[in-house]
Amino acid sequence: MEGKLHRQRMGKLVTIKNIERELICPACKELFTHPLILPCQHSICHKCVKELLLMLDDSFNDVASDNSNQSSPRLRLPSPSMDKIDRISRPASQRRSLGWRGWKRNSLTPRTTTFPCPGCEHDVDLGERGINGLFRNFTLETIVERYRQAARAATAIMCDLCKPPPQESTKSCMDCSASYCNECFKIYHPWGTVKAQHEYVGPTTNFRPKILMCPEHETERINMYCELCRRPVCHLCKLGGNHSNHRVTTMSSAYKTLKEKLSKDIDYLIGKESQVKSQISELDLLMKETECNGERAKEDAVTHFEKLFEILEERKASVLKAIDASKKLRLDKFQTQMEEYQGLLENNGLVGYAQEVLKETDQSCFVQTAKQLHVRIQKATESLKSFRPAAQTSFEDYVVNTCKQTELLGELSFFSSGVDVPEINEEQSKVYNNALISWHHPEKDKADSYVLEYRKINRDEEMLPWNEIEVCGTSKVISDLESDCNYAFRVRAYKGSICSPCSRELILHTPPAPVFSFLFDEKCGYNNEHLLLNLKRDRVESRAGFNLLLAAERIQVGYYTSLDYIIGDVGITKGKHFWAFRVEPYSYLVKAGVASSDKLQEWLRSPRDAVSPRYEQDSGHDSGSEDTCFDSSQPFTLVTIGMKKFFIPKSPTSSNEPENRVLPMPASIGVLLDCDKGSVAFYDVDHMRCLYERQVDCSHAMYPAFALMGSGGVQLEESITAKYLGYQESM
């Protein structure tokens, strides 16, 4: 009997081991653990999707943890735990007793909910509910558990109720979440009782809930199937939820339809087993042929490169020979000139010979010899007065010009096979917290895929290796780039195994510090009579209404109307941070910068209704005084933007002429706050160029700050993330 059970277990092991590939999580490459179904219908472990979201959200969370303090306008809540995923197996009363409060979107800054699916590499968006809106794949979980049991064929599941020593279990009760041998099952599930109606299966350690509950309405059972969204729903989803206008069918009908289709497809594949085996044999031959052709292509490529090496070696030898010949000729000239000058030294050469001639006492002999000697001495004297080297030391004429050849070698590729070169779209490509690279292809349908290459450009122009990413579409988001660095990007297209030459390189400069994420604060100092926030709280507009017209009457007595202030909802206490925004071209007056939490609450509780014409609120300075001095009563450090201009505040160390202080307004303006250095700088984001920098007191928490007057609008720069792709999977 034991031998028969062993053979049965081994048979199951062999059968189920063949599907091991389908049971591996594409993220962790291990067997699925609590698999969740993504919108693209692929499955992924709960822990893996959570780690992916946390990894993408790390930079934001780091800032949040550093800046959490009592003065921060927003409280951050922890993310939901695995218990939330398991809520479908808990009654509502139990959930209330556990004190679970949920994850309210309005109570915290929107966290990252978009990430690339490890299975298909398409970007998926989990929506507002995040992980909570995903269904747990219990069918896959059950199959994985059966695989684990088959893999542990020698280790049987023992009865949970037997007295020691326990017997091997024969069935498991899904209602009791326990395994039983035959005797114990009869004892604990007596005939004629309620327990006798319990659902039981073969021995297992995976006990799942008997009924699936709706993620949106946690007390409602899943009993319908939305044909548009292709997901199970409850009756409340159909009556007044997100699926009210969608076509739904009963769960039994969907079950029957899907099961019939799946069974029909499986039967078709089984019936084509001989065809599949034939195609497998054909693929095996193609693999061998590809291996041979690949090796032959490598040999041909090596031959071509060796010919190029021979040409380069020949040219190298010729160039070096010419340089050596020129060097020898110049050294010979210098040597001759040096010997001539050495002869001018006392007791050496010409001077020594002249000294000996002077000893001649016979006048006729002396005159005969001295005349020619005197000419030589005069020439030597003239050469001393106007020293001129006999040859040049520079070899500028012997510098090898390889610019053209380097460019040609850089474009070295295979023979053209009709695959056009893609072109990077410089207008759509940009860099912020990540880099977004977009391109277009003249013959889009001819390319199967693309390879995007990028590398950092060092200041010493060191040639770093290219990083490669395979892309199916015509755009890609690249993360993990270093701050304040230049990066080069290029792309090439692939059609089958043939690739096009690389596109022209695009150079982008990353921000000078990690990007700081925040939204406009709708509570602290926000004036909803003058300012209008959108629902996402990333855009604010100043609306000129009746109240502004009444306030404008003060102009008759020498006063201006007040500015309406709004700050970010997250503070900064340390480190370097960068954020960017866009000012609408129609804006009359916008001020942007930072605000210190010190005296900020007092300032906002007692807003200034009117401002003196001499008082300019840029950086807390009096624009009417020549000796600018800091006003400690004001918490703001701002610059002025308006009427399509960027105004640089007055400074005693720079020119205060209007033409030097007024610049064209950049399309996107960046702010760099360095708390450690105690400075704030303003950037033209498109060119990543600093426009203005000044010192600022960072002893207290600092907040992004804005002020508007008259008609105007400010839009925070949107973080670059992967966009959600729509999926149209057949039912």
Side-chain angles (χ1 to χ4, degrees), residues 531 540-542 562-564 566 589-590 706-710 712-714:
L531 300 179
V540 62
E541 293 183 355
S542 174
S562 64
L563 291 165
D564 294 305
I566 188 168
L589 176 62
V590 173
F706 302 85
L708 297 89
M709 186 173 73
V714 176

Side-chain angles (χ1 to χ4, degrees), residues 173 175-176 184-199:
C173 179
D175 295 274
C176 301
C184 290
F185 187 80
K186 293 177 182 178
I187 296 174
Y188 290 96
H189 296 77
W191 182 260
T193 63
V194 177
K195 286 190 174 183
Q197 306 300 321
H198 284 187
E199 177 186 1

Side-chain angles (χ1 to χ4, degrees), residues 630-645:
F630 182 75
D631 183 1
S632 60
S633 65
Q634 184 180 181
F636 300 100
T637 302
L638 309 170
V639 295
T640 302
I641 308 138
M643 296 184 289
K644 299 183 180 180
K645 302 293 182 182

Side-chain angles (χ1 to χ4, degrees), residues 350 373-383:
L350 182 61
L373 181 60
H374 184 252
V375 174
R376 294 177 60 191
I377 291 295
Q378 283 183 330
K379 289 182 179 180
T381 304
E382 291 295 330
S383 66

Side-chain angles (χ1 to χ4, degrees), residues 225-246:
Y225 183 81
C226 178
E227 295 182 353
L228 179 62
C229 302
R230 295 176 177 84
R231 62 175 295 170
V233 296
C234 70
H235 72 282
L236 291 182
C237 293
K238 173 60 179 173
L239 291 177
N242 297 329
H243 308 269
S244 57
N245 297 324
H246 297 178

Side-chain angles (χ1 to χ4, degrees), residues 162-282:
C162 276
K163 294 181 180 179
Q167 300 295 317
E168 183 177 343
S169 63
T170 58
K171 55 179 66 72
S172 297
C173 179
M174 302 304 293
D175 295 274
C176 301
S177 298
S179 298
Y180 302 87
C181 63
N182 285 330
E183 295 299 325
C184 290
F185 187 80
K186 293 177 182 178
I187 296 174
Y188 290 96
H189 296 77
W191 182 260
T193 63
V194 177
K195 286 190 174 183
Q197 306 300 321
H198 284 187
E199 177 186 1
Y200 64 90
V201 295
T204 181
T205 57
N206 179 41
F207 300 99
R208 68 183 189 186
K210 192 173 183 179
I211 301 174
L212 288 176
M213 309 301 287
C214 178
E216 299 291 335
H217 311 94
E218 300 168 9
T219 59
E220 299 297 327
R221 297 181 178 182
I222 294 294
N223 55 8
M224 296 180 181
Y225 183 81
C226 178
E227 295 182 353
L228 179 62
C229 302
R230 295 176 177 84
R231 62 175 295 170
V233 296
C234 70
H235 72 282
L236 291 182
C237 293
K238 173 60 179 173
L239 291 177
N242 297 329
H243 308 269
S244 57
N245 297 324
H246 297 178
R247 181 179 176 181
V248 299
T249 184
T250 61
M251 187 60 67
S252 59
S253 176
Y255 169 79
K256 182 179 179 181
T257 302
L258 287 172
K259 192 163 188 176
E260 287 178 354
K261 287 187 175 183
L262 184 59
S263 300
K264 184 178 179 180
D265 292 339
I266 292 175
D267 292 339
Y268 175 81
L269 292 176
I270 294 176
K272 297 291 183 178
E273 183 174 356
S274 59
Q275 182 180 347
V276 172
K277 290 181 179 179
S278 174
Q279 292 176 351
I280 291 175
S281 301
E282 183 178 353

